[in-house]
Amino acid sequence: MTSPGAAEPMIAPSILSADFARLAEAADSVDGADWLHVDVMDNHFVPNLTLGLPVVQSLRAATGIPLDCHLMIDDPDRWAPPYAEAGAANVTFHVEAATDPVRTARAIRSAGALAGLSVKPGTPLEPYLDVLREFDTLLVMTVEPGFGGQQFMAEVLPKVRLAREHVRAGHLRLFVEVDGGIGADTIEAAAQAGADVFVAGSAVFGAEDPGRAVEALRERARGSMTL
Ligand code: DX5
Ligand code: ZN
């Protein structure tokens, strides 16, 4: 798999915007994607309910695209490692919900997945810079988690810049992923700020040809990336 700091932008279509009765077809329609982003919501951490482990297990069998599980759930210390055991390539949980993020990251890694930490728009990054040494991915939310189709929040980009500076300086080794409101009009700003993984839900599955939408987003990000 691509490792953090690869010069190529990675596109992670979010199946939140796909037809939940046809997830295997949705995955097939974006077979050039780098990761397939799977939003797990528990109706507690966020006011929405989506899918959980059984669906991830079925998706794992239905597609060869590496699964990027984004857990918007309470008590990730307990519930995150099973997603790694189910074969997810990357398991990201929210720092706001975690009690012991380092222990949870270690459990995810020892089950064979990359470990990701996510921050909501209002959560600062500075208190977690040391903790992030134990992670492979930082997911900076560029909308409030819970729903697709929201407007991109450019005001969180300083966190992307800060993370990229620490990666560039060699203090951290991370994918810097952005999630929420990413589309043709916003991906360049995120790439310029230093993101290298781009989640896109409505911009991909709302398009007539999701596969082409992935390639078009990748092309736009490629021209603006500053690693
Ligand atoms: C929001 C989810 C996102 C969502 C993004 O809570 O984490 O992954 O699918 O959807 P768009 O790209 O439509 O903003
Ligand atoms: Zn997400």
Side-chain angles (χ1 to χ4, degrees), residues 14-17 37 39 41 46 70 72 141 143-150 179-182 199-203:
S14 168
I15 58 166
L16 185 62
S17 299
H37 188 81
D39 287 309
M41 303 187 191
V46 288
H70 176 196
M72 286 160 277
M141 288 304 299
V143 297
E144 286 299 336
F147 300 92
Q150 302 182 76
D179 183 9
I182 298 294
V199 177
S202 40

Side-chain angles (χ1 to χ4, degrees), residues 83-147:
Y83 287 85
E85 287 153 19
N90 182 76
V91 180
T92 290
F93 59 91
H94 272 265
V95 70
E96 301 89 355
T99 307
D100 191 343
V102 168
R103 188 169 56 94
T104 302
R106 289 180 181 164
I108 290 169
R109 281 175 155 181
S110 63
L114 301 180
L117 193 68
S118 184
V119 285
K120 297 205 280 186
T123 302
L125 204 53
E126 286 83 354
Y128 307 109
L129 288 170
D130 279 344
V131 163
L132 280 167
R133 290 173 168 280
E134 303 273 345
F135 286 81
D136 306 286
T137 304
L138 167 68
L139 175 56
V140 177
M141 288 304 299
T142 43
V143 297
E144 286 299 336
F147 300 92

